[in-house]
Amino acid sequence: MFDIAAELKKLPQKSGVYLMKDEKGQIIYVGKAVNLKNRVRQYFQSSKNQTPKTKTMVPHIKEFEYIVTDTEMEALILECTLIKQYNPKYNILLKDDKSYPYIKVTVQEDFPRIFVTHKREKDKAKYYGPFTDGIAMKETIEILHKLFPIRKCKKNLPKETGKERPCLNYHIGQCMAPCNALITKEAYGVYVKSAMDFLEGKHDAIRKQMEQEMAEAAAAMEYEKAAILRDKIKAVQSLAQKQKMENMALQEADVVALVRAFSECLVQVFFVRDGKMTGRENFHIQAPEEQSRSEVMTAFIKQFYSGTAHIPREIILQEHLTDEEGLLQAYLSQRRESKVTFTVPVKGEKQKLVELAYKNATIAFEQFGEKMRKEQQRTKGAMEQLRQALGIAEPLHRVEAYDISHIQGFASVGSMVVFEDGKPKYSDYRKFKIKTIVGANDYGSMQEVLTRRLNHALREKGEGKTSSFTRMPDLILMDGGKTQVHAAQEILSAFGMEIPVCGMVKDDKHRTRGLLFEEKEVHMPLTSEGFQLVTRIQDEVHRFAITYHRKLHETQTLHSVLDDIKGIGQVRRKALMRHFGSVEKIAQAEVSDLLEVENLTIKNAEAVYAFFRGLENHDNAKR
């Protein structure tokens, strides 16, 4: 039992991050502190000076843990990482977890390539962006390859030079075939330099050069070449015009504005690069109503810029941040490796830009308001409808669904899918190769899957780890009727756990019909969001199981589960089967029983015992 009073006395007077947990062990808040002892103790002292959010949260805190850091800066970085990882209920959360594309030029290669990437690496390449308008970015790439004959292939040059004939791009004039040494490294580099000038906004020089070449081609009566150059000039002018922003004195900045209504917030960011607006983007934020605008904006700046690859020279804001502004400025300057400034303009062109961003944010908030409400109904609203239909008292946050798949009883596999707040959480999906059950025994297979899932959770919890397995579901859905429900209930009872279990029932046409709960069939309106959610979950868990089974079948990995045990080769496998007669009996055997088998060492026996009880180091659930 976690003794809060005793643990508070153990807190160190050092900087770090603290994680508050509820009775289920779920992280509900992540915070940073210059002094962990002073900061964490404040939560459990008089509530007189606490914010409404803190007053609401504290009764739900049943335990906490902390991570010590060397500096407050390290605490800030770790706080950002953990908030993104756990999405705690009481933190201000940036909902739009997007990865923005960049245009990458591999200048470190002998014959550089230009392509789109979502990951910015420390590989000496040159990156341009971010681009929030996918259509504009695609158009830019297309124009680049039309203007400059730069290769698109991934060949390792010059190592692979001459191994294949030039591709179609060479024949249509969009590549000079460096793969066949038809252009020198120096000549190719001229095209790459021109492409980079283009990406940096130096359109005039490129246009003038092309105009000169067009004039020369026309004078030499090379009219086809002149026409091609004319089209390229038009493309350059068109793109330059789209990127142009009037009265833009800024070279590199992000302009940030916030609109909010109750707990829903929307932030709009204008991205300005090389004096041109390369794009704008909206971000949805969920924040407790009592949080001030400065607190919401500070949380946005922390979460957004800790994840984006590019940090601008200047961030222009509507208003000042909280007292963390100085620390944030230092952190972003460190990431950029040059000074970053926060500006809150009161007049001039920068103030007009902030006002423009605010107006756009207001319009976007109105436009997307209905969309947000529909999404809320489809996800959290659907979970609430499901809770009401089943008569469950506690709110539903996490739902896990299970299914078994096999081909005529052969090579059974299990699947576990997870939905949180009505949305699939793909990172928590798990696959299981059935180890102890042979044949079409869905009841036994399901019990094995649940046993391994719960054993894994208890083991990690005992080791002080936190993962997708340690988070217990609020509801378990079984793809089947009473048999599957009873299988799950028996296992939960054996573990001393009380988690509602519900069967997803299908009609004669294999379509979702309703739910089986507490021995009764529960019907929901077919058009309701709750019913549609159940249908999506049932389809998803079935799809996941079938996909996994087909993958195993295609890769010919359908073999004896004994082959997966370390140290058990063909000879020992045969010896085990001769002695016990079946995999089921081997799975039930104790170490002492296993030692009776010929050629089996203590190490082998312990490996077999651990394997069938889900205690091996690399559980098959993650395979």
Side-chain angles (χ1 to χ4, degrees):
M1 189 71 178
F2 192 89
D3 188 338
I4 290 180
E7 294 299 325
L8 285 173
K9 296 177 182 178
K10 300 176 185 177
L11 285 164
Q13 292 185 334
K14 295 182 178 180
S15 61
V17 173
Y18 54 92
L19 301 90
M20 302 301 193
K21 297 182 178 182
D22 62 13
E23 58 185 5
K24 294 182 179 179
Q26 289 189 337
I27 295 170
I28 58 176
Y29 186 75
V30 174
K32 69 169 183 62
V34 179
N35 186 312
L36 283 166
K37 193 176 192 71
N38 294 343
R39 184 70 188 94
V40 177
R41 289 177 67 181
Q42 287 176 0
Y43 286 93
F44 304 97
Q45 294 173 351
S46 172
S47 62
K48 183 178 179 181
N49 298 319
Q50 289 180 345
T51 65
K53 181 205 76 174
T54 303
K55 289 180 181 178
T56 304
M57 178 181 71
V58 170
H60 297 284
I61 300 174
K62 301 304 177 185
E63 59 180 286
F64 61 81
E65 62 179 89
Y66 57 88
I67 303 169
V68 174
T69 60
D70 289 332
T71 64
E72 188 182 4
M73 179 80 74
E74 289 180 6
L76 172 68
I77 296 168
L78 182 58
E79 178 195 29
C80 294
T81 302
L82 294 177
I83 288 174
K84 285 189 175 183
Q85 181 179 348
Y86 295 112
N87 288 324
K89 180 179 179 179
Y90 291 99
N91 282 97
I92 297 173
L93 300 176
L94 173 61
K95 308 301 286 185
D96 305 75
D97 188 13
K98 300 176 181 176
S99 176
Y100 294 98
Y102 288 79
I103 293 178
K104 179 176 181 177
V105 184
T106 58
V107 292
Q108 74 275 25
E109 297 178 343
D110 286 348
F111 294 93
R113 296 167 293 136
I114 299 178
F115 55 90
V116 175
T117 181
H118 285 260
K119 189 175 181 181
R120 185 164 178 167
E121 302 172 299
K122 293 183 179 180
D123 54 2
K124 298 182 181 180
K126 182 75 174 178
Y127 292 84
Y128 296 90
F131 290 86
T132 58
D133 187 336
I135 295 174
M137 180 200 62
K138 185 179 179 181
E139 183 181 359
T140 300
I141 285 285
E142 288 176 353
I143 290 174
L144 273 173
H145 283 294
K146 286 179 182 177
L147 294 176
F148 312 107
I150 295 171
R151 71 186 180 106
K152 298 179 182 178
C153 67
K154 298 180 180 179
K155 291 179 180 176
N156 184 1
L157 301 181
K159 185 178 180 180
E160 297 181 26
T161 300
K163 290 190 175 181
E164 295 179 10
R165 288 182 296 177
C167 66
L168 178 63
N169 289 320
Y170 168 73
H171 297 289
I172 63 175
Q174 290 192 13
C175 181
M176 298 303 291
C179 59
N180 276 257
L182 298 183
I183 185 173
T184 65
K185 178 180 175 181
E186 291 71 25
Y188 187 88
V190 173
Y191 289 119
V192 174
K193 176 64 168 61
S194 297
M196 291 171 66
D197 287 344
F198 180 82
L199 288 169
E200 291 167 8
K202 300 172 184 177
H203 303 133
D204 289 342
I206 294 169
R207 178 179 53 78
K208 287 177 181 178
Q209 181 185 343
M210 288 181 176
E211 286 174 348
Q212 182 180 343
E213 291 177 6
M214 182 179 69
E216 291 173 355
M221 292 187 290
E222 297 176 348
Y223 299 118
E224 186 176 345
K225 181 179 178 181
I228 292 172
L229 286 164
R230 179 200 62 203
D231 293 340
K232 288 184 176 182
I233 291 167
K234 285 183 179 179
V236 172
Q237 291 173 330
S238 174
L239 191 63
Q241 186 63 33
K242 286 182 180 181
Q243 289 184 336
K244 188 176 181 181
M245 194 171 183
E246 292 183 6
N247 300 321
M248 178 56 68
L250 296 172
Q251 283 300 300
E252 183 185 52
D254 285 356
V255 184
V256 188
L258 167 71
V259 174
R260 74 177 303 178
F262 305 106
S263 62
E264 300 294 332
C265 309
L266 186 139
V267 173
Q268 178 143 127
V269 182
F270 285 170
F271 300 99
V272 180
R273 302 291 180 265
D274 298 312
K276 301 171 182 65
M277 189 169 80
T278 61
R280 65 180 182 181
E281 191 58 75
N282 299 314
F283 301 90
H284 176 211
I285 294 178
Q286 198 166 10
E289 293 180 39
E290 60 271 12
Q291 296 287 323
S292 68
R293 288 176 57 86
S294 292
E295 289 176 306
V296 175
M297 187 63 83
T298 301
F300 169 77
I301 296 295
K302 280 199 290 188
Q303 293 181 46
F304 177 64
Y305 289 106
S306 67
T308 188
H310 183 77
I311 309 294
R313 184 181 304 166
E314 183 178 12
I315 300 174
I316 304 172
L317 305 165
Q318 276 178 297
E319 55 201 286
H320 287 287
L321 304 178
T322 62
D323 54 7
E324 290 185 283
E325 184 171 320
L327 179 63
L328 272 172
Q329 184 175 334
Y331 166 53
L332 297 183
S333 297
Q334 185 183 83
R335 283 204 63 205
R336 180 183 164 83
E337 297 182 349
S338 64
K339 188 175 181 181
V340 174
T341 58
F342 291 128
T343 305
V344 182
V346 293
K347 61 181 180 179
E349 292 301 321
K350 292 182 180 180
Q351 196 277 331
K352 289 179 181 178
L353 277 173
V354 171
E355 186 63 28
L356 182 62
Y358 177 75
K359 287 179 180 178
N360 276 273
T362 303
I363 293 169
F365 196 64
E366 292 172 355
Q367 289 176 339
F368 292 114
E370 183 60 28
K371 182 181 177 181
M372 290 177 186
R373 283 191 289 274
K374 286 183 178 179
E375 179 65 13
Q376 182 85 354
Q377 291 172 357
R378 186 174 179 272
T379 54
K380 289 186 178 180
M383 292 282 270
E384 177 59 18
Q385 286 183 12
L386 178 59
R387 183 194 70 79
Q388 291 179 4
L390 299 176
I392 296 173
E394 296 297 320
L396 297 181
H397 171 63
R398 181 184 174 99
V399 171
E400 292 180 2
Y402 294 86
D403 188 21
I404 300 294
S405 177
H406 54 76
I407 298 176
Q408 296 179 345
F410 179 62
S412 296
V413 298
S415 66
M416 161 184 150
V417 304
V418 178
F419 277 62
E420 287 192 354
D421 294 327
K423 296 179 182 179
K425 190 172 184 184
Y426 299 110
S427 61
D428 284 7
Y429 283 22
R430 290 294 181 268
K431 309 164 188 174
F432 302 81
K433 278 196 288 186
I434 303 304
K435 301 176 180 178
T436 63
I437 305 299
V438 176
N441 184 350
D442 286 358
Y443 188 95
S445 297
M446 188 60 73
Q447 289 203 322
E448 180 190 319
V449 167
L450 279 173
T451 299
R452 286 166 60 190
R453 185 259 182 271
L454 297 175
N455 269 333
H456 200 127
L458 293 175
R459 183 169 70 254
E460 289 198 347
K461 237 179 178 179
E463 295 170 354
K465 297 179 181 178
T466 302
S467 72
S468 61
F469 269 118
T470 58
R471 299 179 198 133
M472 289 292 105
D474 303 305
L475 174 68
I476 292 176
L477 295 178
M478 313 300 291
D479 186 39
K482 289 184 179 180
T483 301
Q484 299 288 49
V485 171
H486 290 165
Q489 288 173 334
E490 281 188 17
I491 297 301
L492 289 170
S493 178
F495 277 85
M497 296 182 179
E498 294 184 5
I499 300 174
V501 181
C502 191
M504 296 180 287
V505 185
K506 292 187 176 182
D507 59 20
D508 296 336
K509 296 181 180 179
H510 211 64
R511 296 175 302 191
T512 304
R513 183 182 76 203
L515 298 167
L516 182 69
F517 186 59
E518 295 181 343
E519 304 297 321
K520 297 178 183 178
E521 194 161 319
V522 178
H523 292 280
M524 302 174 70
L526 300 182
T527 57
S528 68
E529 292 292 352
F531 180 82
Q532 296 299 324
L533 174 63
V534 172
T535 301
R536 288 197 298 275
I537 294 174
Q538 188 165 33
D539 290 344
E540 180 69 354
V541 70
H542 186 63
R543 176 201 67 79
F544 193 56
I546 291 294
T547 302
Y548 179 45
H549 194 277
R550 284 175 180 167
K551 181 180 178 182
L552 289 177
H553 186 69
E554 289 169 2
T555 54
Q556 297 182 337
T557 58
L558 301 177
H559 56 272
S560 169
V561 293
L562 299 178
D563 293 335
D564 292 328
I565 305 175
K566 187 176 180 181
I568 303 300
Q570 187 176 356
V571 173
R572 290 190 176 111
R573 186 184 69 207
K574 288 181 179 179
L576 282 164
M577 290 300 293
R578 278 198 306 269
H579 186 88
F580 290 101
S582 69
V583 175
E584 288 96 328
K585 289 183 178 179
I586 296 172
Q588 295 167 5
E590 297 295 327
V591 173
S592 57
D593 301 324
L594 292 165
L595 285 173
E596 296 176 6
V597 179
E598 185 181 0
N599 294 326
L600 225 64
T601 66
I602 293 177
K603 188 176 181 180
N604 296 147
E606 288 176 344
V608 173
Y609 180 84
F611 180 84
F612 284 109
R613 284 156 183 79
L615 301 176
E616 68 276 18
N617 291 331
H618 301 286
D619 196 290
N620 277 9
K622 291 189 176 182
R623 292 183 184 175

